[in-house]
Amino acid sequence: MIRVKVCGITNSNDALLASEMGAYALGFIFFQGSKRYIEPKKAKEIIAKLPPFIVKVGVFVSEPVENVLKIIEVCGLDRVQVIDDDFKKYKKIRSDKIIRTIRVKDLKDIERANKSIYFPLLDTHSAGAYGGTGETFDWNLLT
């Protein structure tokens, strides 16, 4: 089964359209360095309008766990997608609620994803961005 997460939601119209088109999950980016950053208060307003079956995902980059926990509660997030090398700090969050972004450069990154206790999300490594670049890594690494 293929499940689609539409990420970078910043307004209600896009969120509702994505849900109507069959998106499984919607991603809200809480990394201030992103052009798709959304304030938690605004995300909460959008989330309140969504159908209950949509999985709400907060996307965080090296964020202190206390901030993540606060945003989960404020917004009513179902999952958190984390881009961070220090995963020990997220032990306060149930591991089945965490999506771990693995930035793929080579086979070592695929092997790291296979060993992760968290749900892995593979994204292309980019020196200048944390994700969402539209670039693809060598999918032959997956075979």
Side-chain angles (χ1 to χ4, degrees):
M1 169 188 293
I2 295 175
R3 294 183 176 166
V4 173
K5 175 174 70 80
V6 177
C7 207
I9 297 295
T10 58
N11 64 71
S12 296
N13 289 340
D14 291 346
L16 293 171
L17 179 60
S19 68
E20 289 170 15
M21 298 300 292
Y24 170 78
L26 298 180
F28 300 87
I29 299 177
F30 298 107
F31 172 58
Q32 291 187 12
S34 171
K35 63 183 175 186
R36 292 183 293 276
Y37 169 76
I38 188 167
E39 292 279 342
K41 180 180 174 185
K42 178 68 174 168
K44 178 182 179 178
E45 292 170 5
I46 295 169
I47 288 169
K49 298 175 184 176
L50 293 175
F53 58 83
I54 295 292
V55 176
K56 284 79 68 189
V57 180
V59 180
F60 300 91
V61 178
S62 302
E63 188 72 26
V65 71
E66 295 78 19
N67 294 353
V68 174
L69 291 167
K70 184 176 179 180
I71 293 171
I72 290 170
E73 186 174 328
V74 166
C75 295
L77 299 174
D78 301 308
R79 304 275 189 284
V80 293
Q81 178 180 332
V82 180
I83 304 167
D84 197 331
D85 291 329
D86 180 14
F87 265 79
K88 292 177 186 171
K89 70 183 181 187
Y90 298 102
K91 63 185 175 188
K92 292 182 180 180
I93 302 171
R94 286 182 22 196
S95 63
D96 64 332
K97 300 292 183 188
I98 296 178
I99 300 168
R100 182 176 185 178
T101 300
I102 307 287
R103 299 171 70 214
V104 178
K105 252 195 303 194
D106 55 36
L107 190 56
K108 287 183 224 171
D109 297 317
I110 303 298
E111 291 167 354
R112 189 165 46 105
N114 284 331
K115 293 177 185 173
S116 178
I117 65 166
Y118 306 104
F119 183 90
L121 182 144
L122 303 177
D123 200 359
T124 302
H125 182 276
S126 172
Y130 286 105
T133 63
E135 298 295 320
T136 58
F137 61 88
D138 180 3
W139 291 359
N140 291 315
L141 295 172
L142 299 173
T143 57

